[in-house]
Amino acid sequence: MSLRIRLLLIIGLGLSVLWTVVAGWMFLDARQSLRDALDNRLAASARMVAGMVAQMPEPAYLAADDSRKPFDVIARDGVACEVSLLRSQITAQAIVRTSGGPDLTHAISGFGTHMYGKKRWRTYMLRQGNIQIATADSMDTREALIKELALSAGVPFLVALFGSLIMLWFCITHGIAPLERIRDILAKRKPGDDSPLAPIKAPIELQPLLNTIEQLLERLQAAILRERRFTDNAAHELRTPLTGIKTHIQVAGLAAELPDENKTLKAALDKADHGVLQLQSILDRLLNLARLDDDALHAESSDPREVAYAAREQFQASYPDLENRIFIKEEGAISCVNVARPLLLSATQNLIDNALRYTPYDKPVIVHVKQPDSRRVRISVLDEGPGLNAHDRAQAVNRFWRRDRTIPGSGLGLSIVEAIARRHDGTFKLLDREGPGLEARLEFPV
Amino acid sequence: MHVLLVEDDALVASGIVTGLKLHGLTIDHVNCASLADTALKSSYFDVCILDLGLPDEDGISLLHRWRDQGQQLPILVLTARDALSHRITGLLGGADDYLIKPFDLLELQARLHVLTRRLAGRSKDFVEHGGLVFCASTGEVRLHGHPVSLARRELALLRALLQNPQAILSTEQLCDSVYGYEQSLESNAINVHVYHLRRKLGNNIVETVRGLGYRLGLPEKLDPL
């Protein structure tokens, strides 16, 4: 349901109910006042007639016999009047009556409502000595008056009510116009549009909403950008070795058709093989990452010192010229950590590998193992390479991110280290060293 | 055809270099933008294959820079990024063609020929000159309908001359087109190829412009038997 209709329904219904109750109350009040006024008129008329009768000499017909018809008088304002002579306590004989008026000789004392000749009357009866004076109003006339009253007050009320609903519609439309403008601008925005929101004229109450939308768009844009950069990098890292393989296979095909190109054929096949190994290494790393994200962890513990020495040994076995470039520094007693040994070894190897790639050949790489407090163990790998600026340090754990594409690598090493740390409630940070180089700091709870 | 390849990945570059050489093209390879700049300044190229992921400068910005400097060289962009927006940015940035990795070597070669053909204002794959027909993509040469067998260097020399039919080409320019800049060669190397071309296609096929270089002439006339 649109906001406009919602507001109109809520405010419109509220207003209508409130004004209907007030109108009903006013109508009942006015009707009661009208009835009281008409009753007062009846009583006043009766008292006036009583006063006139008292001042008059006793007419001769007072003594007349019962069978005489009452004397008709002309009345005004629709009030019927009857003057009767009391014969006894209960019988009265009408002597004067308004022409066309009802027989009121049996009316009760004070106010009453009676049916006379199929019509309802409001009566007032007064006794003064042996004279009984009764006045009456036709109830139909009274109801007509009340109807007229209701009509004359109700029609303007209804007009005003409908008028206010229409006004409400316009006011709400005008009031929510800034929202409509915001909606329009957001609806017209194309996907991938990275320009900031155009300035919108909006009241101060909406500014927080606008700011939130703007921040959300910025965050969204940044996320899209990160995603795009990731797919670009991933495409580059995966397609480049694939291109190498494909090209060299095609070269081999070409060379096979030509005489005297046996050497080219063999070289091309060797290169294609090299490309396959490169691709295989990237895929292995990606699979490792995927496993780290999905697999349940096994409760295993390993000794960080032993792992650091094992990592150094493996490097030295693979690259004999590395001798004496990897130093291991231990500080104090070091507890075991709850990380499976292969994972801790892989993380340490990745860090050392990374450090060696960026450190000049004559500079050492230091693996520093210590326990800064009783709760965590820290493995720091310190190099003397070019280091990274703050922006690159934040980017470095992103998959396929590589600072320098001339240095071989897949851009997945630090992502794997970060994933291992994250999976074991540890932390992985890249820190600026005081001198040249970078500190890669891995911490695990004991 | 003298091709400049700007590609940072050694594996891909070696594949392209070997493949295109087998197709009879002369190709020089550099692995970064700064070396590409130097190569363009020091040598004459017919076409450039540019990889966008270079270590020292983004390929797109290099492309912009070259076009801003008035560089007219046809450029085929090679990239692993396949998003449509990248392709559009590349083409609007001054690339003449776009190929996404992994590509087919034959397609790359065909596209290079199309680029140079368009630069020469031709819409067909073969050049007709007098009684000579030269097929740019296969390197096949026919003189008055009879196939003529040319060595790789001779073919490169003929290609360079046919590519610029009115122009006088200096010995250095021809050397670039035939050998690339990496090989040191003897001073009369071009003369030898010119001699062989004249022997196979007629004495007037290459005109010597004294002190300036060489120009394309007319091939041997059909013997009126």
Side-chain angles (χ1 to χ4, degrees):
Chain A
M1 193 192 285
S2 82
L3 183 62
R4 189 199 311 232
I5 293 177
R6 208 181 152 86
L7 276 175
L8 187 77
L9 272 182
I10 293 170
I11 303 177
L13 271 177
L15 265 183
S16 304
V17 169
L18 185 73
W19 280 112
T20 309
V21 169
V22 169
W25 181 15
M26 279 168 65
F27 170 71
L28 290 178
D29 206 38
R31 189 176 69 175
Q32 195 51 48
S33 301
L34 183 71
R35 280 181 179 159
D36 288 348
L38 289 173
D39 279 353
N40 286 342
R41 188 178 72 155
L42 268 189
S45 302
R47 276 194 288 276
M48 193 179 75
V49 172
M52 278 159 49
V53 169
Q55 279 167 24
M56 272 203 271
E58 208 165 282
Y61 62 76
L62 282 183
D65 62 90
D66 295 358
S67 58
R68 279 193 66 164
K69 269 188 80 182
F71 183 66
D72 276 351
V73 289
I74 307 295
R76 59 180 183 83
D77 291 345
V79 178
C81 185
E82 186 194 79
V83 181
S84 324
L85 189 64
L86 283 170
R87 293 282 180 206
S88 68
Q89 201 58 28
I90 47 162
T91 55
Q93 185 196 351
I95 39 181
V96 183
R97 182 180 287 154
T98 312
S99 104
D103 177 7
L104 299 171
T105 45
H106 300 294
I108 56 165
S109 182
F111 290 108
T113 308
H114 297 277
M115 286 289 289
Y116 297 117
K118 291 183 183 170
K119 272 169 97 183
R120 287 172 72 233
W121 293 82
R122 180 74 175 162
T123 58
Y124 181 75
M125 194 265 266
L126 181 72
R127 281 183 180 166
Q128 189 175 279
N130 57 345
I131 299 290
Q132 173 181 300
I133 297 125
T135 48
D137 256 342
S138 159
M139 284 299 271
D140 288 349
T141 321
R142 282 193 173 202
E143 293 305 320
L145 261 178
I146 287 166
K147 260 185 203 154
E148 227 168 89
L149 175 81
L151 213 62
S152 63
V155 170
F157 166 75
L158 283 179
V159 170
L161 189 64
F162 279 113
S164 50
L165 286 181
I166 291 168
M167 254 181 71
L168 196 63
W169 176 263
F170 282 112
C171 292
I172 288 171
T173 305
H174 184 72
I176 63 170
L179 278 178
E180 287 283 321
R181 282 199 291 273
I182 295 171
R183 197 190 65 88
D184 270 1
I185 282 183
L186 290 179
K188 276 183 196 150
R189 227 176 141 80
K190 290 195 177 78
D193 184 357
D194 53 0
S195 59
L197 270 188
I200 303 171
K201 227 179 93 188
I204 46 169
E205 290 85 349
L206 280 181
Q207 285 305 331
L209 175 71
L210 272 179
N211 293 342
T212 312
I213 291 176
E214 215 152 314
Q215 283 163 7
L216 181 71
L217 283 176
E218 274 168 23
R219 281 207 299 277
L220 208 63
Q221 205 56 43
I224 290 173
L225 213 65
R226 266 202 309 281
E227 198 64 24
R228 202 179 285 163
R229 211 175 294 136
F230 166 76
T231 41
D232 280 353
N233 287 341
H236 187 272
E237 292 304 327
L238 291 171
R239 280 184 171 156
T240 301
L242 197 60
T243 310
I245 297 166
K246 184 169 176 178
T247 317
H248 282 289
I249 287 174
Q250 282 190 310
V251 168
L254 272 175
E257 285 172 12
L258 295 171
D260 310 328
E261 293 286 0
N262 252 339
K263 257 171 81 181
T264 317
L265 169 67
K266 194 163 175 339
L269 288 177
D270 280 348
K271 294 241 163 99
D273 194 40
H274 178 71
V276 170
L277 287 179
Q278 212 176 316
L279 196 59
Q280 187 184 348
S281 134
I282 293 176
L283 292 178
D284 282 346
R285 281 165 174 249
L286 274 178
L287 284 175
N288 282 343
L289 266 176
R291 278 191 209 112
L292 272 174
D293 284 344
D294 297 337
D295 280 5
L297 288 176
H298 303 289
E300 255 182 87
S301 74
S302 48
D303 177 7
R305 265 172 315 184
E306 185 270 320
V307 164
Y309 283 107
R312 179 170 72 170
E313 253 168 53
Q314 288 195 4
F315 270 104
Q316 284 172 343
S318 318
Y319 310 98
D321 53 326
L322 273 181
E323 210 169 345
N324 299 333
R325 275 191 68 203
I326 306 170
F327 290 92
I328 297 179
K329 245 170 85 182
E330 297 172 39
E331 224 179 281
I334 291 151
S335 314
C336 283
V337 290
N338 281 330
V339 184
R341 188 178 177 277
L343 290 182
L344 191 62
L345 184 65
S346 161
T348 316
Q349 277 176 328
N350 270 312
L351 291 182
I352 297 175
D353 183 43
N354 221 50
L356 285 171
R357 279 178 209 275
Y358 289 94
T359 308
Y361 288 112
D362 54 339
K363 301 282 187 215
V365 167
I366 300 164
V367 184
H368 191 174
V369 188
K370 73 172 202 174
Q371 201 165 339
D373 54 51
S374 58
R375 285 174 289 115
R376 9 180 222 141
V377 166
R378 180 185 295 168
I379 303 171
S380 290
V381 177
L382 304 119
D383 68 50
E384 292 188 27
L388 290 174
N389 61 30
H391 175 259
D392 286 350
R393 284 204 298 275
Q395 294 279 317
V397 293
N398 288 342
R399 292 175 189 196
F400 294 117
W401 185 89
R402 275 163 73 186
R403 196 184 77 99
D404 186 347
R405 292 196 178 274
T406 53
I407 293 178
S410 62
L412 290 171
L414 294 186
S415 312
I416 291 174
V417 176
E418 198 265 346
I420 292 172
R422 192 164 24 88
R423 282 294 274 159
H424 296 86
D425 301 320
T427 56
F428 173 59
K429 281 181 201 154
L430 290 171
L431 304 162
D432 216 5
R433 287 185 72 185
E434 276 180 21
L438 192 71
E439 175 185 350
R441 183 185 287 179
L442 193 55
E443 283 186 350
F444 289 107
V446 172
Chain B
M1 194 190 326
H2 191 198
V3 184
L4 174 65
L5 169 67
V6 190
E7 163 68 63
D8 66 327
D9 188 83
L11 188 70
V12 175
S14 69
I16 296 175
V17 169
T18 321
L20 292 186
K21 271 186 182 162
L22 286 178
H23 276 113
L25 305 186
T26 310
I27 179 159
D28 284 322
H29 165 231
V30 292
N31 61 5
C32 63
S34 53
L35 283 178
D37 272 332
T38 319
L40 272 194
K41 276 177 201 142
S42 61
S43 195
Y44 170 83
F45 292 95
D46 296 297
V47 66
C48 172
I49 305 172
L50 174 67
D51 176 47
L52 289 187
L54 295 175
D56 54 344
E57 187 178 354
D58 180 58
I60 292 286
S61 87
L62 178 71
L63 198 57
H64 274 290
R65 201 155 51 75
W66 280 353
R67 292 308 188 208
D68 287 347
Q69 287 165 1
Q71 182 57 258
Q72 293 291 316
L73 183 69
I75 293 171
L76 184 143
V77 159
L78 216 54
T79 180
R81 308 173 192 168
D82 63 347
L84 183 66
S85 59
H86 284 310
R87 274 181 276 166
I88 291 172
T89 319
L91 290 172
L92 292 180
D96 296 278
D97 205 348
Y98 214 96
L99 214 53
I100 289 163
K101 289 177 182 176
F103 51 83
D104 194 289
L105 208 51
L106 290 172
E107 187 183 0
L108 173 68
Q109 186 226 5
R111 282 178 187 250
L112 291 178
H113 281 299
V114 170
L115 284 181
T116 48
R117 195 177 75 197
R118 273 202 217 120
L119 189 72
R122 287 183 278 119
S123 56
K124 289 183 291 190
D125 189 40
F126 51 89
V127 191
E128 285 183 79
H129 180 71
L132 183 77
V133 179
F134 174 71
C135 181
S137 58
T138 61
E140 201 183 344
V141 180
R142 279 170 182 270
L143 185 62
H144 305 299
H146 301 289
V148 182
S149 161
L150 293 183
R152 207 174 85 196
R153 307 288 189 201
E154 292 157 15
L155 212 54
L157 180 64
L158 181 65
R159 197 194 291 269
L161 288 166
L162 285 170
Q163 184 74 21
N164 311 280
Q166 307 297 327
I168 299 170
L169 301 172
S170 67
T171 314
E172 290 76 33
Q173 264 174 304
L174 289 176
C175 268
D176 283 346
S177 292
V178 175
Y179 293 101
Y181 64 74
E182 63 201 355
Q183 281 150 307
S184 60
L185 40 125
E186 294 175 22
S187 59
N188 67 343
I190 288 294
N191 286 342
V192 173
H193 299 310
V194 168
Y195 166 78
H196 285 302
L197 266 191
R198 280 178 177 155
R199 196 169 52 81
K200 290 177 182 172
L201 299 173
N203 262 335
N204 298 328
I205 187 73
V206 185
E207 291 173 11
T208 309
V209 185
R210 223 164 262 289
L212 293 174
Y214 299 92
R215 183 167 54 195
L216 182 70
L218 282 173
E220 196 177 44
K221 288 206 172 75
L222 191 64
D223 260 347
L225 280 174

